[in-house]
Amino acid sequence: NELTLPTQFRSTDPIVEYKVEVYKASNVNETRLLGLQRCPFCKSTNIRVDINLDDTRIRHICNECKKEAPIFISDSEIYRYAPSIIVGTVDRLARAGQTSLFGHLYGKFTGKCPKHGYLSFGECIEPICKVNKNEFIKFSEVYDPTPALLLQDELHLLKESLGTYDSHYETFLDLLSENTGNKLPSKRIAATATIEGYKEHIGELYGRDAIRFPVKGRGESDSAYVEPSTSSPTARLYIGIMPTGSNTEETVSLILKALKIHALKLTKDKTWSENIVNNYDLGLAYVNEKNTAGNIRSRWEEIGDMQVLTGDKGMGEVRAVIGRVESDSTRHYDDRLRAIVATSVISHGVDLTRLNFMTFCGMPNHASDYIQASSRVGRSHLGIVFTVFRPDNNRERNIYQRFYEYHDRLYQLVQPVPINRFSESSVKRTLSGILSACILNIVSYQKGISLDRAKNFIGALAEGSITDDELIVLAKDSYMVDKLNLPGTTIDFFTKLISRLVKDQRRVIQDGEKYKTYMNMKPPPVSSLREVNEQIEFAIEFRSHELLEKILAGRKG
């Protein structure tokens, strides 16, 4: 992250600011950097984070077996060591437009520092490196450095603006592969439980044809890969409720409280098996809005009995709740969690065998959301789902009146994912990032010079070693304008649009005064694929040393 420093501390030398950042990192709360719940070797939860400033490493060390976990969690470490497996969100693809180090993930490095890992352009990535350059290990281009597989989970979430933005960066990755090693692109595998119109979706997202697996059979449950269970033919039981005389939130609260009372009775009744008690003593309430979660929480008496999970909760808190649910079966019933109230944050990636009882506080907006959320229960035991409808909502009243028909045709009601990679406004917004990614991660390595620095890029333009035509071709190939079967008028339109935008960005960079090439672009490349609108930069600037002292004095007071 960039630092905004008081005027008297500012410097044109980026290493000065980097040292300040390292100093701040050494004083950071280490629990915020904890990326593991358990030791991968001994399964202990007693893990500490060790920040080594000399090696600029964030290490996860088990206090029980004393082993270091083989993981990297910072961008710098990932670029320096290029691990075999990378787990992350598609948001981070935007980093390709902000640093040439992204190319390291595709084998663009040309050497290795014995202390800090892979490097390029003869410079160690870490500015504080004191290793003599003569000690750097040099090697030629790797033969097959491109990631073999790109795996995308929850494919249906890549839709609308996020999916459109991501589609531009996904096809840039294929272009990056074509300019690396043996030029073989990555194979792609995408998973989703709510698939509809997948061929069009894959075509827009990746510019490729799609093969569905497993292939749909000719009849219901007809497949060569799966068959209906004979021991547990029913996975979930859906129950619809339309409240009269009380609102939806109150009804959901009453259901959760009834579960709590009933589970307590089961613990005292020795005729019930411990397995039944442990798997039906925890209730999950799904809400469509964060405010609704707060209202249900306010109706609950015991504070420690219920946890609320919404989008503003950090991953640490989500992991803590999941960890507690997994370990609760070994605790006395009085010490267990009784209920979880959650928004769509619970809909993906939460697979807990103890979640088998669920209530919906109103219907989700789409059938796909309903399917995803309700599939949190009934993973290994019969799932019980109460859908509590809102009486004042016409759509929900209609679903309630046709409850059986709705659930019989539930998967037929899943809508195709809306996405359009050739949206004029989206191309205008991502062009700066895509162009910057081409300059930093393709042109830089072709020319053998770091173009992260604006003066190097401007110098190459002046010498004629980089031309507008070269940049336009790379940008067009990133968007696959000429590679997809598009109408001629569409190709002409986007060819002219991209050509004009590339020339505009080149002029803006030449007129800019900032140190980094991408910083001079307008609008600047997105740092996240969720930045739909142009971002406004703002920061506090201290205009005098006296004012700074007054502010600091006031803070101490």
Side-chain angles (χ1 to χ4, degrees), residues 208-313:
R208 299 189 185 187
D209 293 330
I211 300 175
R212 180 175 176 174
F213 176 87
V215 178
K216 188 176 182 180
R218 290 179 291 181
E220 186 177 4
S221 302
D222 179 13
S223 172
Y225 309 100
V226 295
E227 61 182 15
S229 171
T230 55
S231 59
S232 302
T234 303
R236 297 176 193 88
L237 175 65
Y238 289 86
I239 303 147
I241 298 176
M242 178 64 74
T244 56
S246 64
N247 62 34
T248 308
E249 296 167 5
E250 183 179 357
T251 305
V252 170
S253 298
L254 288 173
I255 292 174
L256 293 176
K257 290 177 182 178
L259 171 66
K260 173 183 174 181
I261 295 171
H262 189 64
L264 180 59
K265 290 180 180 179
L266 292 181
T267 60
K268 298 178 180 179
D269 188 346
K270 302 303 181 182
T271 61
W272 289 94
S273 69
E274 185 177 351
N275 184 49
I276 292 293
V277 175
N278 286 341
N279 288 293
Y280 291 94
D281 65 336
L282 174 64
L284 170 63
Y286 181 95
V287 297
N288 296 303
E289 298 176 355
K290 186 166 60 175
N291 291 340
T292 306
N295 294 339
I296 295 177
R297 178 70 186 84
S298 65
R299 296 174 183 272
W300 201 263
E301 294 87 7
E302 295 84 357
I303 295 178
D305 278 357
M306 177 180 284
Q307 284 284 350
V308 176
L309 293 179
T310 56
D312 56 355
K313 303 292 184 181

Side-chain angles (χ1 to χ4, degrees), residues 290 309-315 318 342-346:
K290 186 166 60 175
L309 293 179
T310 56
D312 56 355
K313 303 292 184 181
M315 279 305 299
V318 175
T343 57
S344 58
V345 70
I346 202 78

Side-chain angles (χ1 to χ4, degrees), residues 160-215:
E160 298 171 343
S161 59
L162 173 61
T164 299
Y165 279 31
D166 178 55
S167 70
H168 300 163
Y169 282 87
E170 295 285 0
T171 47
F172 162 76
L173 295 184
D174 287 345
L175 178 65
L176 185 58
S177 300
E178 293 174 9
N179 287 270
T180 302
N182 58 5
K183 307 183 186 307
L184 289 177
S186 305
K187 294 181 177 65
R188 296 180 182 269
I189 299 177
T192 178
T194 50
I195 190 167
E196 185 64 33
Y198 70 95
K199 284 186 175 294
E200 292 77 11
H201 187 193
I202 294 297
E204 293 285 339
L205 191 59
Y206 301 119
R208 299 189 185 187
D209 293 330
I211 300 175
R212 180 175 176 174
F213 176 87
V215 178

Side-chain angles (χ1 to χ4, degrees), residues 414-426:
V414 175
Q415 298 175 335
V417 175
I419 179 174
N420 178 16
R421 69 177 294 112
F422 288 107
S423 158
E424 180 182 353
S425 59
S426 67

Side-chain angles (χ1 to χ4, degrees), residues 123-147:
E123 298 286 342
C124 180
I125 290 176
E126 296 303 330
I128 58 174
C129 176
K130 297 180 180 178
V131 177
N132 192 301
K133 292 185 178 182
N134 294 328
E135 299 179 34
F136 290 167
I137 304 169
K138 297 181 180 179
F139 47 80
S140 57
E141 188 176 26
V142 183
Y143 172 69
D144 186 16
T146 299

Side-chain angles (χ1 to χ4, degrees), residues 1-137:
N1 294 329
E2 294 180 62
L3 292 177
T4 302
L5 303 176
T7 305
Q8 66 270 24
F9 296 130
R10 287 186 183 165
S11 169
T12 56
D13 184 356
I15 296 180
V16 174
E17 296 190 1
Y18 176 86
K19 289 180 178 177
V20 178
E21 182 70 26
V22 169
Y23 171 77
K24 289 177 66 177
S26 66
N27 293 277
V28 77
N29 181 3
E30 294 183 3
T31 58
R32 187 172 62 85
L33 302 175
L34 189 62
L36 288 179
Q37 287 182 276
R38 293 183 177 86
C39 171
F41 303 105
C42 68
K43 309 306 179 185
S44 169
T45 58
N46 188 9
I47 301 174
R48 76 174 189 275
V49 175
D50 174 54
I51 301 175
N52 188 318
L53 293 181
D54 187 36
D55 293 343
T56 55
R57 285 274 287 111
I58 302 172
R59 305 179 189 274
H60 285 60
I61 300 174
C62 178
N63 290 321
E64 298 294 333
C65 67
K66 310 302 181 184
K67 293 183 179 180
E68 178 186 340
I71 67 167
F72 307 102
I73 67 170
S74 72
D75 283 19
S76 171
E77 292 174 306
I78 292 171
Y79 295 142
R80 285 188 284 130
Y81 297 103
S84 299
I85 299 173
I86 299 176
V87 181
T89 61
V90 295
D91 287 20
R92 300 305 290 165
L93 295 182
R95 285 288 292 162
Q98 297 182 326
T99 175
S100 60
L101 300 179
F102 187 89
H104 282 204
L105 306 183
Y106 281 71
K108 290 292 189 179
F109 39 77
T110 56
K112 192 172 185 178
C113 170
K115 192 175 185 64
H116 298 113
Y118 294 116
L119 55 84
S120 50
F121 312 117
E123 298 286 342
C124 180
I125 290 176
E126 296 303 330
I128 58 174
C129 176
K130 297 180 180 178
V131 177
N132 192 301
K133 292 185 178 182
N134 294 328
E135 299 179 34
F136 290 167
I137 304 169

